Every structure is written in C-alpha cells, then in structure tokens.
C-alpha cells in the first residue's frame, strides 16, 4: 500500500513537515537542508499535530485549507518555531494566538500575482463570451449553425471594470484589462500613488463605485470588513446585466444573494473560483449555464506552485537561522 507520509531516518538537519502535496522540486530543495516529512494528501490538523509531535518539527508548511487555530497551536510541540503557508491569503491563521505563543507565521505574496491575474482574465473572458455554454454545445455534437442573433456574448473591449482591492493582484488585473481597452475603477482602503494608479478612477466608497461597474472583480483579502461585502444590497447596486467575478475568497460573498442575482437575471454572467464552503461548494451554482466555475485554481500553474513552495521555504530558512522572514505576518 502506498503510504501518505514520506520521511527519511532523522538526521542532524532541522525537521520540517510539508503537510500537503506540492510539486517535487520544492520537496527536493527542502531535503537539501531539512529533515523533511511530507504527505501525498492535504492532511487534517489532527494529523499535523500528531506528526509534528512525533518528529519534533521546527517548521511546518501548510496550505490555505489547513486552519491554524488557537487550539491547534496549543497542541503543537514546543520545538515548533514557524508555520509557513504556501498561499498569499492567511485567513486560516489565528495571528494573535500565534503571536502570543511566539510562533512565527508567514505567507507567500508576489509570486502568485501574475497567475491569479491571468486566471481572473480567463474568468472575465469566459463569462462575457459564454465559454461554458459553447463548450457544452460542442460536447453535445453542435449540428445546427447559429443565426447571427443567437447565443451572443457581451463585448469585453471597452467595458468598465470595477476592482475591489487594488493590491498586487488587483493592479495586475488592471494592467491586463487595459490591454482590452477596459476602463478601470477601484475601491481600496488607500488610494494608489499616481504612478501606480495611472488612468484608474478611485472611489473611496465601494457602494458609490458599484453602479458604474459593467464587470466587478473581487481582489480584497478576507477580513471582518470584507465579510459578505457582496450581499443583496450591493448586488442590486450593480447595473443590470453586469458580470461578477470572484478569485479572492468565498467569504466576501453572500451566496444566497448571488444566486438570487443570477436567478433574476440581474447579472449577465459570473466567474467563480472561490466559494463560502470549499471544497463542498453550493451545487445550485451548477444550475446556471452562464456561470463559469473553477475549484479554487487561481494560482494553479506549475511555475507558480513551485515559486510559492520555494518562497515558503525561504521564510522557513530565515526563521530557523535566526533572521527575520521576508513575509513575516506576526511581529
Ligand atoms: C491557494 C490562494 O492557496 O494564495 C492564496 O491565498 O487562495 C491560492 O493560491 C491555492 O489555490 C491552494 O489552495
């Protein structure tokens, strides 16, 4: 039987657990300097605690599905110095609890900006141009030529795109969208400097931006302030026949309100990579042929996943050699 846990006999190197599957170049790099235990599946936090204790690990690499709560932190061994997530989002971390216990937490910004922005454009283009419906027609054998007035999408070129959260990923989406002659509006806690803002229009009030958004794309982190920021009221502020895109976090959206906005045809289409409940998403979304669905794959290219893993390793290396990790979230 194939074991899910891979570990070599312990050595003098510091013990590191990689608690989810990651491309092999990351494991190989890690093995050069750490005594690595890694798993073929994303293991539960109970398993993380058990293996971390058995191996007396100094560092753990996790992914965004592994929630590091106060209770998990309390059960981890005192040998542990750092938990590095291979993700930019860190809403699965209890920062305060880790801080109190003196455990360092890090994330992996920058390296997934381009792949996530590319994926956002994929969803925008697919939603506007009805890609899922065309795929379904071809899968069923096509057979009858469409009239020039049938199965029409909506033009991407020249649209107005509203971006919630103009951090690295929001800016990378804006950069790509400009290539389509798209006009950019944005709402963020802070206005960008003129060099970064370029021709984008800043709205300090999210709700005031919404009526101007022919496409709305979410790029804000999951925080108390962004929880269900898209709800019945905010969906209704979007213009009729607008397009809604989410590659950020499911918690930003009241999914009942989104389903209602789709059922009433207030939205022309949607592109969703993230859901309130992952991986067990609300299958009512499958009812809508105009919704492009993806299983949280915004950063899923080989190059990016390797870069994320190596960035997490870099943080672990710094921490264990007594330096300040580049992406330290705790102080
Ligand atoms: C996921 C992400 O980590 O970085 C993030 O915050 O959401 C993604 O990169 C990745 O898809 C693995 O689940």
């Amino acid at each position: 039987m194939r074991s899910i846990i891979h570990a070599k006999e312990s050595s003098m190197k510091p013990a590191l657990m990689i608690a989810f599957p990651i491309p092999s170049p990351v494991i190989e790099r890690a093995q050069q300097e750490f005594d690595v235990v890694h798993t073929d599946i994303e293991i539960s936090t109970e398993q993380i605690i058990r293996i971390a204790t058995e191996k007396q690990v100094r560092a753990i690499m996790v992914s965004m599905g592994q929630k590091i709560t106060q209770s998990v932190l309390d059960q981890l061994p005192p040998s542990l110095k750092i938990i590095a997530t291979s993700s930019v989002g860190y809403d699965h971390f209890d920062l305060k609890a880790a801080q109190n216990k003196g455990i360092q937490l890090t994330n992996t910004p920058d390296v997934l900006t381009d792949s996530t922005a590319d994926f956002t454009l994929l969803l925008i283009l697919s939603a506007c141009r009805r890609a899922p419906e065309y795929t379904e027609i071809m899968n069923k054998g096509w057979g009858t030529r469409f009239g020039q007035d049938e199965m029409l999408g909506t033009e991407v070129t020249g649209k107005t795109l509203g971006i919630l959260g103009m951090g690295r990923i929001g800016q990378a989406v804006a950069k790509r969208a400009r290539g389509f002659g798209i006009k950019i509006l944005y709402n963020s806690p802070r206005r960008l400097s003129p060099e970064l803002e370029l021709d984008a229009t800043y709205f300090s009030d999210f709700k005031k931006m919404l009526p101007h958004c022919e496409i709305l794309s979410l790029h804000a982190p999951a925080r108390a302030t962004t929880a269900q920021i898209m709800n019945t009221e905010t969906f209704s502020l979007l213009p009729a026949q607008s397009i809604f895109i989410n590659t950020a976090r499911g918690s930003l959206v009241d999914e009942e309100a989104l389903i209602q906005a789709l059922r009433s045809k207030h939205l022309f289409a949607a592109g969703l990579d993230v859901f309130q409940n992952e991986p067990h998403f609300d299958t009512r979304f499958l009812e809508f042929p105009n919704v492009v669905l993806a299983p949280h794959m915004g950063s899923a290219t080989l190059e990016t996943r390797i870069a994320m893993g190596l960035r997490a390793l870099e943080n672990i290396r710094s921490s264990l050699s007594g330096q300040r990790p580049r992406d330290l979230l705790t102080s």
Side-chain angles (χ1 to χ4, degrees):
M1 207 180 91
R2 190 161 165 237
S3 150
I4 61 153
I5 299 164
H6 305 275
K8 291 210 174 115
E9 283 307 303
S10 58
S11 66
M12 295 306 286
K13 295 176 189 165
L16 158 67
M17 168 168 30
I18 303 181
F20 60 97
I22 198 159
S24 54
V26 180
I27 310 268
E28 283 152 23
R29 181 73 185 81
Q31 282 167 339
Q32 290 171 13
E33 49 196 318
F34 302 105
D35 181 8
V36 181
V37 47
H38 64 98
T39 63
D40 287 348
I41 56 165
E42 186 176 296
I43 57 173
S44 66
T45 45
E46 289 75 23
Q47 288 169 302
I48 292 180
I49 293 163
R50 185 177 57 72
I51 300 167
T53 309
E54 258 169 46
K55 297 271 166 195
Q56 287 295 298
V57 299
R58 309 262 5 252
I60 305 176
M61 197 191 293
V62 296
S63 85
M64 50 114 355
Q66 294 164 316
K67 243 180 154 8
I68 305 300
T69 59
Q70 166 93 60
S71 148
V72 171
L73 289 161
D74 286 344
Q75 296 174 73
L76 286 166
S79 56
L80 183 71
K81 175 134 191 248
I82 173 170
I83 304 177
T85 183
S86 179
S87 64
V88 64
Y90 52 88
D91 40 305
H92 54 305
F93 277 169
D94 184 335
L95 295 191
K96 220 167 138 210
Q99 180 103 21
N100 290 340
K101 292 195 82 73
I103 294 175
Q104 294 186 322
L105 300 177
T106 58
N107 67 339
T108 59
D110 306 319
V111 288
L112 46 67
T113 300
D114 285 332
S115 62
T116 308
D118 292 347
F119 200 79
T120 304
L121 265 292
L122 169 80
L123 294 186
I124 293 175
L125 292 166
S126 301
C128 288
R129 298 304 302 271
R130 304 179 70 157
E133 289 164 275
Y134 298 165
T135 304
E136 200 184 330
I137 288 164
M138 298 312 282
N139 284 338
K140 288 184 174 157
W142 188 15
T144 310
R145 197 178 287 285
F146 287 103
Q148 290 216 2
D149 58 349
E150 286 179 283
M151 288 302 296
L152 304 183
T154 183
E155 194 85 4
V156 174
T157 299
K159 282 254 179 329
T160 297
L161 165 67
I163 295 178
L164 170 70
M166 200 57 144
R168 302 174 190 86
I169 298 173
Q171 290 173 50
V173 168
K175 180 177 166 191
R176 285 156 177 74
R178 284 184 183 102
F180 288 88
I182 289 176
K183 181 172 174 343
I184 314 292
L185 318 176
Y186 74 101
N187 166 255
S188 233
R190 275 177 307 280
R191 187 171 177 170
L192 295 177
S193 63
E195 309 86 75
L196 294 177
E197 184 174 84
L198 303 171
D199 55 355
T201 306
Y202 177 63
F203 283 77
S204 56
D205 184 338
F206 178 55
K207 289 185 189 169
K208 293 214 167 105
M209 176 175 83
L210 291 176
H212 306 283
C213 301
E214 292 172 295
I215 306 170
L216 175 70
S217 192
L218 306 187
H219 299 287
R223 300 262 192 281
T225 47
T226 56
Q228 303 210 343
I229 192 163
M230 290 311 299
N231 48 48
T232 303
E233 184 199 359
T234 46
F235 277 116
S236 76
L237 290 172
L238 286 171
Q241 294 296 285
S242 49
I243 288 115
F244 174 69
I245 305 292
N246 190 6
T247 55
R249 282 290 183 269
S251 61
L252 272 60
V253 179
D254 171 351
E255 291 185 344
E256 286 302 326
L258 172 55
I259 286 170
Q260 193 40 45
L262 287 162
R263 283 213 173 118
S264 66
K265 302 207 178 340
H266 180 60
L267 295 178
F268 176 80
L272 308 175
D273 184 42
V274 289
F275 302 86
Q276 254 170 32
N277 191 14
E278 296 179 10
H280 305 289
F281 75 107
D282 189 331
T283 52
R284 286 178 299 168
F285 286 119
L286 296 170
E287 284 170 30
F288 303 103
N290 54 341
V291 176
V292 191
L293 296 167
H296 201 147
M297 290 305 213
S299 66
T301 66
L302 179 61
E303 296 89 333
T304 293
R305 287 289 165 79
I306 292 173
M308 290 163 72
L310 293 179
R311 180 79 168 236
L313 268 187
E314 181 189 330
N315 285 317
I316 291 168
R317 185 180 309 120
S318 303
S319 169
L320 297 189
S321 61
Q323 286 156 12
R324 186 187 162 87
R326 180 171 174 183
D327 306 310
L328 189 63
L329 299 166
T330 44
S331 54

